[in-house]
Amino acid sequence: LNQYSYPNARRDNSVVDDFHGITIPDPYRWLENPDAQEVKDFVHSQLQLTDSVLESCAARPNLRHKLTNLFDHPRYTVPFRRSHNTYFYFHNSGLQPHNVLYMQNGFHAGAQPHLLLDPNALSPDGSVSLTAVSVSQHADFLAYGLSSSGTDWVTINIMRIQDKHLLPHTLSWVKFSSISWTHDTKGFFYSRYPAPKEGQLVDAGTETNTNLYHELYYHFLGTDQSQDILCWRDPQNPEYRFRASVSDDGRYIIMYIEQGCDPVNKLYYCDMSELTNGLQGFGNKQEEEDPHAHATMLPFVKLVDTFDAQFQYVANDDTVFTFLTNKNAPKYKLVRVDLKEPINSWFDVIHESERDVLESACAVNGNQVIVSYLSDVKYVVQVRDLETGCLQHLLPIDIGTVNGISARRQDSIFFFGFSSFLSPGIVYQCDLGTQAPVIKIFREIVVPGFDRSQFHANQVFVASKDGTKIPMFIVARKDISLDGSHPCLLYGYGGFNASVTPCFSVSRIVLARHLGCVLSIANIRGGGEYGEEWHKAGSLAKKQNCFDDFISAAEYLVSVGYTQPAKLCIEGGSNGGLLVAACINQRPDLFGCALAHVGVMDMLRFHKFTIGHAWTSEFGCSEKEEEFHWLIKYSPLHNVRRPWEEFGGGSIQYPSTMLLTADHDDRVVPLHSLKLLATMQYVLSTSMKQSPQTNPIIARIECKAGHGAGRSMQKIIEEAADRYGFMAKVLEAHWIE
Ligand SMILES: O=C(NCC(=O)N1CCC[C@H]1C(=O)O)OCc1ccccc1
């Protein structure tokens, strides 16, 4: 094979797997070991190629400059309230690497914000990020999670709020955990995995070991982690994950048990008022016992012991509990049960809606509940009676996303965040104390230099291959003509019941304003836009629907004249990275550019690494014969072909492609992208047309970064400038001053 100056990557043809009688070669298996010198050399040589390609992207410096300008505006998050009148919220003055946590006692005139925790002081390069904050009941203590280099591994720290004194003890090997205080402020519940064997782990987040044997612990304030009590684990089910939260009255521990990633969970509870000496006494009992004996655990009651549906705590009055659930309700509903009658006292408080998805429910103002619905991918917010579920008020919301309702049952005032394609962000305050709710703008994010009157955002419904109507948002400058001349960026995700709803994106606005880019988001199947049926219609044996939907969305944008294949870029991350890679394999002719972030690319082996086993609920698993046959048909790694050799392939070639990953991504380990990169460069580089000079296949591999969460502003800007500079060059998009 005459390789066109792509870095050489050894092909080990001795690695062949047998899947149910079918042999599948895996010549780049050696790329799965991040610590091997050969892999480090491969990454290094790829980065040199990528840097040389990016050097030639003329728009990159302009993008970096404009992105920096547009990001440089003050922004706030929705505040949350503790104790009587103490509020906590995050603020960023504009270009601070990470948001800063503030507190203040009320918002009356003269109330001063106090800086509580500045993550930017924790690392000079912004590589340490805040993953979670949890303030105790009376605002005495702050427990917070820190992550280094974007890994899912968290270290919990504790601060005494009044003097910002850091307690000496920290908690390690925390992952996939909430932090939930008991109301006596003696400590909190959290989840962790067993510590890796000595020497097995040098740089947390770069390992690919599978995450099994999750455990729920309770940490006593002021003690060492070794004194924490084990509350629950299930060695018979190593894939289970446990998460605990304390009920609003402080009496119950509610424990959610999850196995895969479907919206289903078991739900156990423990009435702490029945623990003779509370948790404290419980801990001591364990010490007396033989430490090697099977650790005695909290006496949880199994309210729901199947994975048939999701149950999410909303409120309780003594033993009467209200849950948000999808039990026999794929668009969700509110139900109530009396723990004294756990079998037959269930009844509906808010019935499932015919069309809209009940997304959230928050108890407020004693006997009211704020509910948010997703209606054709737009939010509806209502105030209802918590007791009866009756509708009381409809809050006026523009087309957009309600991204964070902050309420407590004991408060009549609550806050919620709103954002949309053309609305950078508003925090509303709503007061239910009066008869009709009084809503006012509490904070408004203003982006200097952004003139929303230049753009319009609309929603269309595109028929997919099987006729299913797929919603799609399109944002473009008002003055464009549908002559197919515009660069276009199409974004999708399509999985895990996750909905992609209208939100403000600085980078998208820069692309529309300075590259004349049309921006579109396709709400393809697999997401949660129309509830659990929509999710299931894009998973397991039906995963191909996601790709069909995305391809139909792309064909729509071309057919109505927004763009043309050579000017069309598709982008997606993680499960969305899989989407992008599968679509360019299936329709290389339809796209000019592809940006796949931290994609799941090896569908035969994903379940072997870190938390990948949890995704078999969505993808299936190659260890099962029927499911292997689903996966092998679209697995990006296994479906790279030379279009020009296919029947009628003629001059068809792959779009220029950038695979993005990072060395501490332990959600989707980098091996997925590295193996696909090597495969595409090998298979596609026999053609003059597909060389690095014409439409390259390259990788952007970030160091000291992870799956995406926790990236500093600077890393966000740098990456956006790189990938969109690459896109602009490939699509031959012209810079508009
Ligand atoms: O694996 C996932 N979620 C699915 C996920 O991250 N996926 C699923 C496919 C690839 C990748 C993505 O799309 O982001 O989350 C693990 C988790 C996090 C927090 C609490 C419990 C469990």
Side-chain angles (χ1 to χ4, degrees), residues 636-653:
L637 181 65
H638 303 90
N639 286 281
V640 179
R641 292 186 188 81
R642 301 182 184 103
W644 54 88
E645 289 180 356
E646 306 274 297
F647 175 69
S651 64
I652 294 175
Q653 61 192 48

Side-chain angles (χ1 to χ4, degrees), residues 586-724:
Q586 296 184 16
R587 289 292 306 276
D589 60 301
L590 187 51
F591 314 107
C593 186
L595 305 174
H597 301 247
V598 293
V600 185
M601 307 306 197
D602 184 342
M603 297 313 291
L604 302 185
R605 292 175 61 81
F606 72 83
H607 58 285
K608 295 173 178 298
F609 312 109
T610 63
I611 194 62
H613 62 74
W615 316 334
T616 55
S617 57
E618 186 92 2
F619 299 131
C621 182
S622 61
E623 289 167 16
K624 296 181 181 152
E625 182 161 17
E626 180 194 14
E627 301 181 8
F628 162 75
H629 287 289
W630 305 339
L631 293 163
I632 191 63
K633 288 191 178 65
Y634 68 80
S635 173
L637 181 65
H638 303 90
N639 286 281
V640 179
R641 292 186 188 81
R642 301 182 184 103
W644 54 88
E645 289 180 356
E646 306 274 297
F647 175 69
S651 64
I652 294 175
Q653 61 192 48
Y654 270 64
S656 293
T657 300
M658 178 186 279
L659 304 180
L660 299 97
T661 184
D663 59 3
H664 286 75
D665 186 347
D666 48 5
R667 185 66 64 86
V668 178
V669 289
L671 64 91
H672 286 278
S673 295
L674 298 183
K675 291 173 77 174
L676 179 62
L677 178 72
T679 303
M680 289 179 75
Q681 289 181 343
Y682 172 74
V683 172
L684 300 175
S685 63
T686 58
S687 146
M688 293 290 281
K689 307 185 193 71
Q690 198 82 54
S691 68
Q693 287 68 28
T694 50
N695 58 347
I697 313 288
I698 59 174
R700 186 183 189 279
I701 303 156
E702 181 79 74
C703 295
K704 291 190 78 177
H707 194 55
R711 272 192 198 178
S712 67
M713 285 302 308
Q714 286 64 31
K715 281 199 180 251
I716 288 169
I717 290 170
E718 205 52 38
E719 185 199 280
D722 284 355
R723 70 179 191 266
Y724 294 134

Side-chain angles (χ1 to χ4, degrees), residues 258 260-265 310 496 532 535-536 539-540 614 617-618:
E258 293 175 335
C261 287
D262 273 346
V264 298
N265 62 276
Q310 182 174 74
F496 297 86
E532 190 49 13
H535 168 224
K536 286 196 165 59
S539 56
L540 296 172
S617 57
E618 186 92 2

